Amino acid sequence: MSPGGGRPSREAVLDAFAVESEPGRSTLERYLRLYPEYAGELIDLSRELSREAYEDAAPLSATDRALIDAAWSQHAKVMPAAAADPFAALTVDDWRASRSVWTCPGRS
């Protein structure tokens, strides 16, 4: 799993566990024995992978839509305004003039 024979990284272990063909309890126990340092992450991933996907085909009710709209409105009120781009109004001459102020690699 790791080049050079060293211990594999957390990411490599979790990736390998996620693509196991038999993702049951025995596979989890084997990984826990081999990589006890990643026990918490392996258990969390095992739970996540074994969760059933839930898809609700029913449309949202008017009450649900109103709640979502109200929450979104509150969120939008506290979002900061987009910052203006300080460089947008610079002309080519402005950019050339700025070269003398800033130290740019490769420029003298």
Side-chain angles (χ1 to χ4, degrees):
M1 195 178 311
S2 69
R7 292 293 284 171
S9 68
R10 178 181 70 74
E11 184 175 342
V13 171
L14 295 178
D15 285 346
F17 180 77
V19 297
E20 281 284 339
S21 60
E22 296 292 328
R25 181 182 180 122
S26 62
T27 302
L28 175 60
E29 289 173 347
R30 179 168 45 91
Y31 272 77
L32 291 174
R33 275 191 312 276
L34 291 171
Y35 310 105
E37 65 270 28
Y38 306 130
E41 291 95 336
L42 284 165
I43 292 168
D44 288 346
L45 179 57
S46 174
R47 287 180 179 157
E48 184 71 25
L49 293 173
S50 65
R51 267 187 4 189
E52 290 186 30
Y54 177 76
E55 292 187 34
D56 189 0
L60 293 174
S61 69
T63 304
D64 290 339
R65 287 182 189 273
L67 287 171
I68 291 169
D69 289 343
W72 187 251
S73 294
Q74 288 178 352
H75 172 73
K77 286 178 189 174
V78 297
M79 288 298 298
D85 181 358
F87 302 108
L90 294 179
T91 65
V92 172
D93 289 333
D94 293 333
W95 282 105
R96 288 185 180 135
S98 70
R99 280 195 317 200
S100 64
V101 177
W102 305 104
T103 304
C104 298
R107 301 277 183 191
S108 34

